[in-house]
Amino acid sequence: KEMGHNLEGTVKHFSHHPGSFRHSRDCITEIVFSQDSSYLATSDMDKCVCLYKLEGDQKWMYVGKYRSHYHPITGLLFLKFPTNAEEEAGSNSNRYDIRHDTKFLPHSIPVPLPSTKPIYPRLISIGEDKQIIEYDVGNSSPIKGLQILSITRLSQSAIPTAVVQHPLSVNSKEDLLIIANNLYKFQMYNSYNKMCRKTVLSPTYAGPLTKMSIIDPKMGQYYMAYSTSHKVIGLVKLPLDGNPNRAVGLIAHPNMVSNLVTDYSGKYLFTAGGEDKTINMWIINTDVIDNISAQGGTGLTPFSNMMEGGTTGVLWDEMKEYFYYAQIRSQGENTTSPRIIGNTVHLNQISSIMRALGYYPTEREIEDMINEIKYSTYFDNGLTTEYFNIDTLIRTYVNHRPVFGVSQDNLQKAFELIGVNGDNEVNVEQLLANLEERGERMSKEEILECMSCLLSVKIDPIDGMRNKMKNKIQGKSGSSDSFSLSE
């Protein structure tokens, strides 16, 4: 199923010493090499990551193994670092150990790319448990085993399905990871403090993306090849912005696509199937995606076309009205001072605008939106911004809202998660416990406010929430009546 770039010597060693590589109890799903080919890592269906190190006698030494995820592993990656002539000559004078800095990395601002190269390669994995795990390669050994450096939860709902490192150059200012998820989104994370830097739409041709590979630049322009689990492969033009005209796809296999890799020249793409037992070799022609991107329009045109009705629709008019009303709210609705109407709105109004438009992001998603806009020019001029314009609002709305909306089935599944019984009823005590203790926890004040609006009953905290609310809330009928959803 798997293909690697540096397999020649490895395959020979496999054939001569087959027993030394039998450290997995289940099928290996991914094989990756470090940038200098000194380390090899594998992931398997037993949710384990194994690490090997190339010794001086050209033999692979087993370093350790860790069952780091509690759901299947969906991505394994050694991070690269830009090289220069001094490093290629073998100098170690400008290398540092990231283990010493990780504990002190700020989580409120994006971390810049260090000016020196790490002593040890950085290894990360993602899984269906919604976690990204970084391993402490430098502190791992056959005695200590494979050590974990950090564990970060990426999301409450989206399941990561693939990961790749954003292209790096000697002028790179930030080390970013591109993570695709099952909600048809690309999310870019700072690789050091795991801060979400950007969220955009991904292709939606045949299921979520499961493999991604960066293609070497063509006159400074990068592209990314991708595959889905079912039939389709394609190309995306970087940088990622959510424009659907910058992505193409085609049917490559009759059913499953198990893996995808590109060669170092950026001219060829290799895909492996499943039951068809076929490996296909493709010639990459980036001129096609360049032409489609140019014909699709520039600026806001591709994004406005994705809105219901386009620039002449009701949603477009509502968005403009809410944008200007947000300016009035930020200045105070009851103020008697002269109104100052400009082209920007303060960031603290973005959540209200999104909810008015029918998109209800969680507090974590709102924080990601604010950080995305606030630090959008941070590495260009060192400044943050507290305001956004109508163009930014449209791009953010189109990229962040659910691709297929919220259906009745989604709501019913949500009720099941909070404990709906066989009679389609949920106990109030269990509901409140879930809201207060699980996921993005809500305070009692927030729950009181929401329940008052939902039940159209004024709930007094002094008398107690539980005494005022009914003993049980209807499940199916509650979701339909309360939210007025059509079938």
Side-chain angles (χ1 to χ4, degrees):
K1 283 187 175 181
E2 298 301 322
M3 295 173 285
H5 296 306
N6 306 346
L7 286 178
E8 182 178 357
T10 306
V11 171
K12 291 180 180 178
H13 189 73
F14 281 5
S15 60
H16 291 300
H17 305 276
S20 62
F21 283 86
R22 294 178 179 173
H23 298 100
S24 297
R25 296 182 179 180
D26 211 327
C27 175
I28 291 178
T29 57
E30 194 152 7
I31 302 172
V32 294
F33 290 86
S34 62
Q35 188 173 4
D36 59 1
S37 300
S38 61
Y39 285 89
L40 163 67
T42 67
S43 61
D44 58 45
M45 295 183 68
D46 194 34
K47 302 178 275 293
C48 295
V49 173
C50 293
L51 181 66
Y52 302 87
K53 183 179 180 181
L54 186 63
E55 294 294 281
D57 55 359
Q58 297 300 306
K59 292 183 179 180
W60 289 101
M61 178 187 71
Y62 173 70
V63 176
K65 170 182 174 181
Y66 206 114
R67 198 170 191 267
S68 47
H69 293 268
Y70 56 90
H71 284 304
I73 297 173
T74 57
L76 185 67
L77 178 69
F78 273 111
L79 301 187
K80 296 181 180 180
F81 201 89
T83 59
N84 53 43
E86 181 182 10
E87 292 169 349
E88 291 175 354
S91 171
N92 293 323
S93 59
N94 59 346
R95 297 189 175 192
Y96 79 105
D97 189 348
I98 188 173
R99 291 177 294 152
H100 300 323
D101 298 336
T102 303
K103 296 179 181 179
F104 307 103
L105 295 177
H107 294 272
S108 58
I109 61 173
V111 178
L113 181 69
S115 59
T116 54
K117 186 176 180 179
I119 297 175
Y120 304 103
R122 301 177 61 199
L123 175 65
I124 64 167
S125 66
I126 60 172
E128 292 183 8
D129 53 7
K130 308 180 183 71
Q131 292 182 338
I132 179 170
I133 298 177
E134 182 166 358
Y135 301 88
D136 193 348
V137 175
N139 198 34
S140 300
S141 67
I143 297 177
K144 296 180 180 179
L146 180 58
Q147 301 292 305
I148 287 181
L149 186 64
S150 66
I151 301 176
T152 306
R153 189 173 182 87
L154 294 173
S155 171
Q156 293 292 342
S157 55
I159 298 175
T161 57
V163 60
V164 72
Q165 187 177 16
H166 194 279
L168 285 172
S169 67
V170 293
N171 297 320
S172 296
K173 299 178 181 179
E174 189 176 10
D175 191 2
L176 294 174
L177 301 173
I178 302 174
I179 297 180
N181 61 43
N182 68 327
L183 301 183
Y184 298 94
K185 306 287 186 182
F186 287 126
Q187 289 189 300
M188 285 182 277
Y189 290 85
N190 187 290
S191 71
Y192 290 97
N193 65 357
K194 311 303 186 291
M195 173 185 175
C196 184
R197 299 285 285 110
K198 194 173 186 179
T199 300
V200 299
L201 290 171
S202 70
T204 58
Y205 299 123
L209 278 59
T210 55
K211 298 291 180 182
M212 299 184 293
S213 180
I214 299 298
I215 300 174
D216 284 351
K218 170 188 174 184
M219 300 297 291
Q221 174 62 58
Y222 286 92
Y223 300 83
M224 182 174 69
Y226 71 86
S227 67
T228 67
S229 61
H230 190 65
K231 297 184 179 182
V232 173
I233 66 171
L235 295 177
V236 178
K237 190 174 182 179
L238 299 183
L240 301 174
D241 61 0
N243 183 349
N245 300 315
R246 293 168 65 92
V248 295
L250 56 84
I251 296 177
H253 291 268
N255 289 297
M256 176 184 180
V257 182
S258 61
N259 201 13
L260 166 148
V261 294
T262 56
D263 77 320
Y264 280 106
S265 68
K267 297 179 180 179
Y268 303 102
L269 175 69
F270 299 86
T271 60
E275 295 179 358
D276 58 347
K277 303 175 184 177
T278 302
I279 293 179
N280 293 332
M281 177 179 176
W282 307 80
I283 297 176
I284 297 174
N285 181 9
T286 57
D287 292 337
V288 175
I289 193 172
D290 292 338
N291 294 334
I292 295 175
S293 176
Q295 295 172 7
T298 59
L300 280 181
T301 302
F303 300 94
S304 61
N305 290 338
M306 287 189 284
M307 297 174 57
E308 294 78 357
T311 56
T312 60
V314 175
L315 181 59
W316 179 271
D317 293 336
E318 288 182 347
M319 184 170 289
K320 291 191 294 184
E321 291 178 2
Y322 294 146
F323 180 81
Y324 290 114
Y325 181 65
Q327 294 187 14
I328 296 175
R329 286 192 63 194
S330 62
Q331 298 173 33
E333 295 177 277
N334 298 321
T335 183
T336 57
S337 302
R339 297 288 181 182
I340 302 175
I341 303 299
N343 297 321
T344 60
V345 175
H346 196 274
L347 276 175
N348 61 15
Q349 297 295 321
I350 192 166
S351 60
S352 299
I353 297 177
M354 292 295 175
R355 287 162 181 159
L357 292 169
Y359 167 43
Y360 301 94
T362 67
E363 293 301 316
R364 170 75 177 271
E365 291 168 340
I366 292 171
E367 182 181 352
D368 289 342
M369 284 186 206
I370 293 175
N371 287 334
E372 178 180 325
I373 300 172
K374 184 176 182 178
Y375 296 105
S376 57
T377 61
Y378 182 77
F379 285 105
D380 295 329
N381 52 28
L383 301 176
T384 60
T385 179
E386 298 292 333
Y387 296 88
F388 62 94
N389 57 26
I390 187 70
D391 291 1
T392 301
L393 174 63
I394 294 172
R395 292 174 186 268
T396 304
Y397 173 74
V398 170
N399 281 318
H400 281 260
R401 67 174 178 173
V403 173
F404 300 112
V406 179
S407 65
Q408 185 79 16
D409 290 339
N410 296 140
L411 285 175
Q412 186 60 33
K413 288 179 180 178
F415 273 102
E416 292 173 359
L417 288 174
I418 60 176
V420 173
N421 58 28
D423 297 327
N424 295 317
E425 297 177 339
V426 59
N427 186 277
V428 171
E429 295 291 339
Q430 185 177 358
L431 171 62
L432 298 179
N434 284 327
L435 294 176
E436 292 177 341
E437 299 172 6
R438 303 183 64 180
E440 295 183 26
R441 299 173 181 85
M442 298 177 66
S443 66
K444 291 184 177 180
E445 291 75 15
E446 291 174 327
I447 296 175
L448 281 170
E449 182 180 357
C450 292
M451 288 300 177
S452 297
C453 295
L454 184 64
L455 303 176
S456 300
V457 176
K458 184 178 180 180
I459 301 176
D460 191 348
I462 298 177
D463 295 337
M465 183 190 313
R466 291 162 178 81
N467 295 331
K468 285 290 185 180
M469 294 173 63
K470 296 180 180 179
N471 290 330
K472 294 183 178 180
I473 299 176
Q474 295 296 324
K476 286 185 177 179
S477 60
S479 65
S480 179
D481 296 341
S482 300
F483 297 101
S484 300
L485 291 179
S486 59
E487 295 294 337

